């Protein structure tokens, strides 16, 4: 035991004891506590006790009861924090190899005799820096650099980067770095930026949270605000000009004018609204750029009505995509109720553009007589836009014939000159699934779909192909039960040299199929007479050769027409049952050749 060190220890102890007495702090008597503890507890051999040492007549009480594990725990932090308060500039961070960087960009190395030399920690504090062959740190200890932020805040500086709105937390956050003496003690921790810089946080909060509605709040205004934004976005999609209607600066100025300076987060906003009862939702007109031409919702409807059935429209702005433009969403069982000409007329807001392009696609000799084309298009829309009973090309042709005396036909227009977004599509659906996307609906497709909605009601009239009259008498028309009654026309069909029965949604298609079925029945019943007449057609050989060269099926179609004419007395009689057919077939057998002639 070194006498001088013990003497220093004794002096320090006396100074501390006197200071405590001067401050009036309560103290404890280690001797009495040790005496009381010894009577109640057995001595712990693991504890080291130095006892009373006498030097120069002084008695030093050294009743220590501290384990090494305790020293490395809480006491380690407390001791080194106390030392760091007196040595705030004597710290360094490990760099490459064994070199440390201290404050003011000084470089030093741990002294080789130190216990931390072989495995140096990331951050150290040193009692002294001694320069010999190089600058060495003597008496070093591992520290947490974050201690300095609380111990010496006056020596620390905060640097904030990347402030941004965080919808999950409901406030503007930034990355904070703590710097002291050129050393970064804490690198980029996330903090609430509002209390630090209310003005900047408020602007970010308004632009990135309130303007786009990107926040979570219990207040009801947010629903109105999001609905307004959705309506404006939908209108931009309809007019095919994304970003042309919503004025984000106007929305920003609206909130900037209403909100006080201390509102910079969801919590402060909710507290302010709850306290003042303010209404902050705005109208769509206030959030839109001024338009040279007013945009009307009637020009871009959300639905179309056909035969009392309302069907939704879908607008898409995606050039090159299959659904780019306007599309009508229609279930398969309602597809037959959509008129063939309906997609031609698109929607009112885009009809004038389509008419102008169609007029410009006319041949030059016709186009020059209707200039200016824009004026002609407006005249057509004012005259014929409400009369949607035929295709757009037919209506446009009739208008030019009537008003300009032009010999215009539908074939004169070049529809291929139209962009894809001006051709309305029809999305055929079944439940929630898309079955197909049609640019036009053919009659054949309508015929195959007509049973989807009324299949159960029409199935009872359908019959498989057979050689004789299929089933009972056929009614002129049938109606399917349901909220939307569908009308059908039963008719004979010619299938694989036999005759069946099917129900059609189109009366003309039904009549055509019924005549073919009557001809097939007669051919099967009186095959010999038909063969006789076909061998001796009442036509000259030159006429037969000429017409057969045009159409190989000419003779077959010709005799089918003669058979139907003989059966129905040139269309004056209706044959809907087996008895009538049998009677008429017997009479037509004898008149078939004369009818053909």
């Amino acid at each position: 035991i070194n006498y001088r060190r013990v003497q220093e220890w004794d002096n320090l102890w006396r100074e501390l004891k006197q200071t405590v007495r001067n401050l009036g702090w309560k103290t404890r008597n280690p001797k009495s506590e040790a005496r009381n503890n010894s009577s109640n507890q057995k001595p712990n051999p693991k504890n080291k006790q130095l006892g009373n040492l006498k030097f120069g007549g002084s008695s030093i009480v050294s009743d220590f009861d501290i384990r090494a594990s305790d020293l490395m725990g809480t006491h380690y932090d407390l001791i080194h924090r106390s030392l760091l308060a007196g040595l705030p500039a004597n710290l360094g961070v490990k760099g490459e190899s064994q070199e440390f960087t201290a404050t003011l960009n000084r470089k030093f190395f741990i002294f080789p005799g130190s216990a931390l030399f072989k495995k140096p920690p990331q951050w150290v504090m040193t009692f002294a820096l001694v320069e010999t062959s190089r600058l060495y740190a003597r008496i070093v200890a591992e520290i947490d650099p974050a201690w300095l932020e609380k111990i010496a805040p006056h020596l620390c500086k905060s640097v904030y980067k990347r402030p941004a709105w965080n919808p999950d937390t409901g406030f503007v956050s930034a990355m904070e770095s703590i710097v002291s003496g050129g050393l970064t003690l804490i690198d980029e921790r996330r903090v609430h930026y509002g209390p630090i810089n209310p003005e900047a946080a408020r602007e970010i909060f308004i632009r990135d949270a309130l303007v786009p509605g990107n926040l979570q709040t219990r207040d009801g205004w947010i629903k109105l605000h999001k609905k307004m934004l959705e309506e404006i976005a939908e209108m931009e999609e309809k007019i095919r000009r994304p970003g042309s209607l919503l004025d984000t600066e106007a929305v920003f100025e609206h909130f900037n004018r209403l909100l006080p300076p201390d509102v910079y987060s969801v919590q402060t906003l909710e507290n302010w609204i709850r306290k003042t009862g303010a209404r902050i939702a705005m109208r769509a007109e206030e959030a839109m750029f001024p338009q040279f031409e007013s945009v009307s919702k009637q020009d871009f409807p959300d639905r179309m009505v056909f035969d009392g059935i309302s069907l939704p429209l879908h607008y898409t702005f995606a050039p090159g995509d299959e659904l780019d433009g306007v599309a009508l969403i229609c279930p398969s069982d309602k597809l037959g109720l959509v008129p063939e000409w309906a997609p031609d007329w698109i929607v009112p807001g885009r009809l004038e553009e389509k008419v102008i392009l169609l007029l410009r696609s006319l041949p030059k000799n016709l186009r020059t007589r209707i200039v200016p084309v824009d004026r002609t298009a407006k005249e057509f829309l004012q005259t014929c836009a409400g009369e949607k009973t035929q295709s757009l090309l037919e209506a446009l042709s009739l208008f030019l014939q009537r008003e300009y005396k032009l010999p215009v036909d539908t074939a004169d227009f070049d529809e291929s000159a139209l962009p894809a977004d001006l051709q309305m599509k029809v999305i055929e659906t079944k439940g929630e699934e898309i079955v197909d996307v049609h640019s036009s609906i053919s009659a054949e497709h309508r015929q195959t779909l007509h049973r989807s909605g009324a299949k159960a009601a029409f199935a009872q009239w359908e019959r498989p192909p057979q050689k004789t009259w299929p089933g009972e008498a056929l009614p002129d028309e049938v109606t399917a039960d349901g909220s939307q009654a569908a009308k059908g026309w039963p008719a004979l069909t010619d299938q694989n040299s036999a005759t069946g029965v099917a129900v059609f949604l189109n009366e003309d298609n039904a009549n055509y199929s019924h005549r073919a079925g009557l001809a097939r029945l007669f051919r099967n019943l009186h095959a010999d007479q038909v063969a006789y007449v076909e061998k001796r057609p009442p036509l000259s050989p030159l006429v037969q050769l000429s017409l057969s060269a045009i159409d190989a099926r000419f003779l077959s179609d010709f005799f089918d027409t003669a058979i139907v004419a003989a059966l129905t007395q040139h269309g004056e009689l209706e044959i809907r049952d087996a008895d009538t057919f049998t009677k008429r077939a017997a009479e037509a057998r004898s008149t078939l050749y004369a009818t053909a002639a």
Side-chain angles (χ1 to χ4, degrees):
I1 298 177
N2 187 283
Y3 173 81
R4 289 186 179 182
R5 295 289 174 265
V6 176
Q7 189 65 45
E8 290 173 0
W9 183 10
D10 179 38
N11 294 337
L12 176 61
W13 182 84
R14 290 179 182 278
E15 291 174 5
L16 291 175
K17 184 175 181 180
Q18 186 61 40
T19 303
V20 169
R21 287 177 178 174
N22 294 338
L23 293 173
W25 292 359
K26 292 183 179 181
T27 60
R28 61 188 179 88
N29 190 336
K31 287 186 176 182
S32 61
E33 289 185 4
R35 194 179 302 113
N36 294 334
N37 291 336
S38 63
S39 61
N40 299 326
Q41 299 178 358
K42 294 181 179 180
N44 190 341
K46 293 183 179 181
N47 296 340
K48 294 182 179 180
Q49 189 170 16
L50 299 179
N52 297 336
L53 302 180
K54 292 182 180 182
F55 294 92
S58 301
S59 178
I60 304 175
V61 180
S62 305
D63 295 326
F64 290 99
D65 190 13
I66 302 175
R67 295 186 179 88
S69 60
D70 293 335
L71 185 62
M72 297 305 294
T74 305
H75 296 288
Y76 180 93
D77 292 353
L78 294 176
I79 293 172
H80 287 82
R81 287 186 191 185
S82 301
L83 295 174
L84 183 61
L87 304 167
N90 286 16
L91 69 161
V93 59
K94 185 176 180 294
E96 297 181 0
S97 185
Q98 300 290 325
E99 186 180 56
F100 280 76
T101 301
T103 57
L104 304 179
N105 201 30
R106 294 176 298 171
K107 307 294 183 181
F108 68 86
F109 295 86
I110 295 178
F111 187 71
S114 173
L116 299 181
F117 175 75
K118 292 185 178 180
K119 294 183 178 180
Q122 188 66 24
W123 285 86
V124 297
M125 173 183 64
T126 177
F127 182 78
L129 291 172
V130 180
E131 185 170 4
T132 54
S133 59
R134 56 174 61 174
L135 189 61
Y136 283 111
R138 302 176 67 93
I139 311 178
V140 296
E142 181 181 4
I143 64 165
D144 183 351
W147 293 346
L148 193 63
E149 181 185 10
K150 294 183 179 180
I151 293 172
H154 58 289
L155 299 178
C156 298
K157 180 182 177 181
S158 296
V159 179
Y160 300 96
K161 300 178 182 178
R162 302 192 299 277
W165 166 247
N166 190 329
D168 295 330
T169 59
F171 57 76
V172 177
S173 61
M175 305 308 294
E176 180 187 36
S177 297
I178 305 298
V179 180
S180 178
L183 298 180
T184 302
L185 306 179
I186 300 175
D187 188 23
E188 294 194 352
R189 65 181 177 189
R190 193 176 301 276
V191 295
H192 188 352
Y193 197 54
I196 299 168
N197 192 338
E199 183 179 354
R202 179 179 179 273
E203 181 176 353
I204 296 173
F205 175 61
I206 295 177
R207 289 194 182 277
D208 296 346
L210 299 184
V211 173
N214 183 23
L215 72 162
Q216 300 174 5
T217 177
R218 295 164 292 180
D219 293 332
W221 71 270
I222 189 63
K223 294 181 180 179
L224 299 175
H225 186 68
K226 288 184 176 180
K227 182 179 180 182
M228 178 198 71
L229 296 177
E230 290 173 359
E231 290 177 353
I232 295 177
E234 288 175 1
M235 185 58 68
E236 290 175 343
E237 193 91 356
K238 290 177 180 179
I239 65 175
R240 301 182 63 77
R241 296 203 306 269
S244 63
L245 297 182
L246 179 63
D247 186 357
T248 55
E249 282 301 318
V251 182
F252 172 82
E253 289 300 330
H254 168 79
F255 290 114
N256 189 40
R257 184 177 61 256
L258 290 178
L259 301 184
D262 57 348
V263 172
Y264 44 71
S265 65
V266 172
Q267 183 178 0
T268 55
L269 176 65
E270 291 177 345
N271 293 339
W272 176 73
I273 292 177
R274 193 177 304 111
K275 182 179 179 180
T276 62
R279 298 179 178 274
I280 63 175
M282 63 189 305
R283 297 192 300 270
E285 296 78 11
E286 300 173 346
M288 295 170 61
F289 288 110
Q291 302 296 309
F292 294 107
E293 295 182 4
S294 60
V295 180
S296 174
K297 291 184 178 181
Q298 286 73 24
D299 291 339
F300 298 91
D302 293 326
R303 308 183 75 86
M304 280 189 171
V305 180
F306 304 100
D307 290 341
I309 300 177
S310 178
L311 300 175
L313 292 172
H314 178 71
Y315 296 85
T316 305
F317 177 67
D321 189 81
E322 183 182 19
L323 293 179
D324 184 36
V326 188
L328 180 71
I329 302 176
C330 181
S332 296
D333 57 346
K334 303 292 190 302
L335 203 59
L337 303 178
V338 179
E340 295 182 11
W341 46 262
D344 293 348
W345 293 86
I346 203 163
V347 292
R350 306 214 63 199
L351 183 57
E352 181 177 351
E353 180 184 358
K354 184 173 184 177
V355 172
I356 290 174
L357 292 177
L358 286 173
L359 292 176
R360 289 176 179 172
S361 71
L362 287 171
K364 186 176 181 180
N365 62 322
L366 297 175
R367 189 174 66 252
T368 55
R369 298 172 60 181
I370 59 173
V371 292
V373 172
D374 294 3
R375 184 190 64 188
T376 306
K378 292 183 182 295
E379 292 175 357
F380 168 75
L381 295 177
Q382 294 172 357
T383 306
C384 306
E387 304 173 4
K388 298 178 182 178
T389 57
Q390 55 189 338
S391 71
L392 177 60
L393 295 183
E394 292 173 347
L396 197 54
S397 300
L398 292 175
F399 169 78
L400 296 177
Q401 294 169 16
R402 182 177 67 250
E403 300 295 333
Y404 290 86
K405 311 302 180 187
L406 289 178
V408 178
D409 189 66
T410 57
D412 294 324
F413 297 97
D414 183 11
E415 287 190 282
S416 64
L418 295 176
D421 58 274
L422 283 177
Q423 298 175 346
M424 179 184 281
K425 292 84 175 174
V426 179
I427 302 176
E428 181 185 346
T429 62
K430 188 173 183 181
E432 298 295 329
E433 297 181 359
I434 296 178
V435 177
D436 202 354
V437 178
H438 306 277
S439 56
S440 62
I441 308 172
S442 63
E444 291 78 11
H445 187 67
R446 291 174 184 272
Q447 182 175 338
T448 58
L449 291 173
H450 83 285
R451 297 181 182 85
S452 59
K455 185 174 182 180
F458 292 163
Q460 58 179 318
W461 300 104
E462 297 178 357
R463 296 291 182 272
Q466 46 193 291
K467 297 296 183 180
T468 59
W469 183 274
E472 63 276 12
L474 300 178
D476 292 336
E477 62 182 43
V478 293
T479 303
D481 297 331
S483 58
Q484 301 294 339
K487 185 182 293 185
W489 287 267
L492 298 176
T493 60
D494 180 10
Q495 303 177 44
N496 302 323
S497 300
T499 305
V501 176
V503 182
F504 297 82
L505 285 180
N506 184 282
E507 187 175 10
D508 292 336
N509 293 339
N511 292 336
Y512 177 85
S513 178
H514 193 70
R515 292 193 297 270
L518 290 175
R520 176 58 60 190
L521 275 176
F522 186 87
R523 284 178 176 274
N524 291 337
L525 185 63
H526 300 287
D528 56 337
Q529 182 65 15
V530 174
Y532 175 80
V533 175
E534 287 182 338
K535 290 180 181 179
R536 300 169 179 79
L539 295 170
S540 66
L542 180 61
V543 172
Q544 292 184 50
L545 288 173
S546 300
L547 295 178
S548 297
I550 297 173
D551 185 358
R553 287 180 51 84
F554 163 72
L555 282 177
S556 175
D557 290 343
F558 169 74
F559 283 112
D560 282 348
T561 304
I563 291 171
V564 174
L567 284 171
T568 62
Q569 293 183 355
H570 298 281
E572 295 181 3
L573 295 177
E574 184 74 15
I575 302 176
R576 309 290 294 179
D577 59 86
D579 292 340
T580 303
F581 171 77
T582 302
K583 181 180 178 181
R584 290 300 309 154
E587 297 177 4
R589 177 185 175 89
S590 59
T591 62
L592 178 59
Y593 189 84
T595 302

